[in-house]
Amino acid sequence: MMTNTARIKQGLHPRNAHNLGYDFDLLTSHLPELTPFVINNPAQQKTINFTDSLAVKTLNRALLHAHYGITFWDIPAGYLCPPIPGRVDYIHYLADLLAEDNHNIIPTGKQITALDIGTGANLVYPLTGQHCYGWQFTGTDIDPISIKVAKQLILFNQLKIKLKLQKNQQHIFDGVVSDKDLFTFSMCNPPFHNSLEQAQQGTERKWKNLGKTPSNELNFGGQNAELWCEGGELAFISTMIEESKHVADQIIWFTSLVSKKEHLEALRKLLNKQGVKETKIIDMAQGQKVSRILAWSYFGAAERAEIFEQLA
């Protein structure tokens, strides 16, 4: 029997709109341009060819339109086209984190201010987070083209999202966070690989997992700065932790995705040296893949609760 819903990886957050999979009838009704890319898999479930970068981008356009009210979304060729369900999971787990400081009630509205480090041309975290919870986002990036494209997305969709270009690629918070800023949280999906060669090897593994001949083409795209940096994920998050001390009073919760579990011990030791008052590790399971959010705060629990009382 044919089904109109293609299953995606299980284990998504309970509030994730994509827990039941992709409803291609719904998606194509919102974006008819997706229709030519829809195929049947061996189980006669509707899906797309995930090795086709244009199909993946069109799927993202449909998901953002149908579920998040984004009427226009596009990115330049070769830029990161992130899988929406996994990205939205980060948003929902952050909402739970904030609820812990707010009598277990998820705080919503523009009084909750978010800083998205490396927002990219895709702007996915601000677009989805603002729709789900009404939070006010500021996105930063080191790539001027990403900032330019993101500005166009904001303009076309008539949204209020702030953007800042990080002019110094060696810094993360320094230069974009001032002593007048107060963000409820920061978030980041850091570059995973430590070299271009390692990024290319990762791409080959993805193609093999999709049952295809390895190719240099990235089905989900990605510029160099989006995929790798010197020292990889560990070095990037370590710099983030060290700089977080400089803006300890400007951000209530610092957070970052951590892909490799073996990095956690070194990051915890560094956080202890920085004198943070609380550290949390939040697991995010998506099928066979398990990633995690590392969160830290220089405010104690009572201080955070008082801040949220003032925001109410």
Side-chain angles (χ1 to χ4, degrees):
M1 181 178 68
M2 183 180 295
T3 176
N4 291 323
T5 302
R7 302 293 295 177
I8 57 176
K9 291 181 179 180
Q10 297 303 296
L12 295 173
H13 190 282
R15 289 194 302 277
N16 196 314
H18 313 292
N19 255 315
L20 298 179
Y22 299 129
D23 184 341
F24 282 98
D25 286 346
L26 173 68
L27 296 176
T28 53
S29 70
H30 279 267
L31 191 75
E33 296 97 311
L34 178 64
T35 303
F37 297 103
V38 179
I39 58 176
N40 287 333
N41 65 16
Q44 294 304 302
Q45 296 172 322
K46 289 186 177 181
T47 186
I48 65 166
N49 179 2
F50 283 95
T51 66
D52 182 341
S53 59
L54 183 55
V56 170
K57 184 163 75 169
T58 307
L59 173 63
N60 270 16
R61 289 177 58 202
L63 289 168
L64 289 168
H65 192 291
H67 295 284
Y68 304 99
I70 305 303
T71 57
F72 174 83
W73 186 85
D74 199 7
I75 54 174
Y79 276 71
L80 186 64
C81 185
I84 302 297
R87 294 299 192 265
V88 179
D89 247 30
Y90 191 177
I91 294 289
H92 291 308
Y93 279 106
L94 286 178
D96 292 344
L97 175 67
L98 301 184
E100 292 178 16
D101 294 327
N102 192 48
H103 307 293
N104 292 319
I105 299 171
I106 295 173
T108 60
K110 61 183 180 181
Q111 71 272 21
I112 302 302
T113 52
L115 181 67
D116 179 21
I117 302 296
T119 197
N122 60 74
L123 204 65
V124 162
Y125 288 130
L127 295 178
T128 55
Q130 193 167 88
H131 178 84
C132 290
Y133 299 109
W135 298 335
Q136 177 62 56
F137 277 81
T138 298
T140 74
D141 207 284
I142 62 173
D143 178 26
I145 296 177
S146 290
I147 293 292
K148 182 179 179 179
V149 173
K151 283 182 178 178
Q152 293 299 312
L153 295 181
I154 294 167
L155 178 64
F156 281 123
N157 291 286
Q158 300 181 6
L159 299 173
K160 292 184 178 179
I161 297 170
K162 300 177 182 178
L163 296 172
K164 293 184 178 181
L165 176 66
Q166 172 56 271
K167 297 179 181 179
N168 188 331
Q169 296 188 16
Q170 305 304 313
H171 290 309
I172 297 174
F173 297 113
D174 293 354
V176 294
V177 177
S178 74
D179 55 8
K180 295 180 180 179
D181 288 323
L182 178 60
F183 292 101
T184 312
F185 66 88
S186 67
M187 64 186 305
C188 181
N189 187 359
F192 179 75
H193 301 289
N194 59 29
S195 68
L196 177 59
E197 181 182 17
Q198 190 182 80
Q200 290 171 337
Q201 291 172 352
T203 299
E204 290 181 5
R205 286 193 296 271
K206 287 182 180 179
W207 277 87
K208 288 179 180 178
N209 290 338
L210 289 168
K212 302 293 181 180
T213 302
S215 167
N216 288 329
E217 181 183 354
L218 293 164
N219 56 328
F220 290 99
Q223 295 295 294
N224 287 346
E226 295 174 309
L227 300 176
W228 70 274
C229 67
E230 187 175 351
E233 175 184 82
L234 181 59
F236 190 95
I237 301 174
S238 295
T239 298
M240 188 184 302
I241 291 172
E242 291 167 356
E243 284 195 14
S244 72
K245 185 71 173 181
H246 307 167
V247 290
D249 295 331
Q250 277 67 59
I251 301 175
I252 300 171
W253 277 109
F254 297 86
T255 77
S256 176
L257 292 179
V258 181
S259 295
K260 293 188 176 181
K261 186 177 181 179
E262 56 266 32
H263 290 161
L264 290 175
E265 183 177 356
L267 294 172
R268 278 178 167 178
K269 289 180 179 179
L270 184 56
L271 284 167
N272 288 335
K273 290 180 180 179
Q274 296 296 313
V276 302
K277 292 189 177 179
E278 188 159 2
T279 301
K280 290 179 181 287
I281 297 171
I282 304 165
D283 287 332
M284 298 195 307
Q286 299 166 21
Q288 298 297 320
K289 179 182 178 182
V290 177
S291 61
R292 55 214 51 84
I293 301 169
L294 176 64
W296 65 98
S297 180
Y298 294 91
F299 294 88
E303 293 174 295
R304 296 195 305 271
E306 184 177 347
I307 292 172
F308 277 93
E309 289 285 353
Q310 295 172 357
L311 292 175

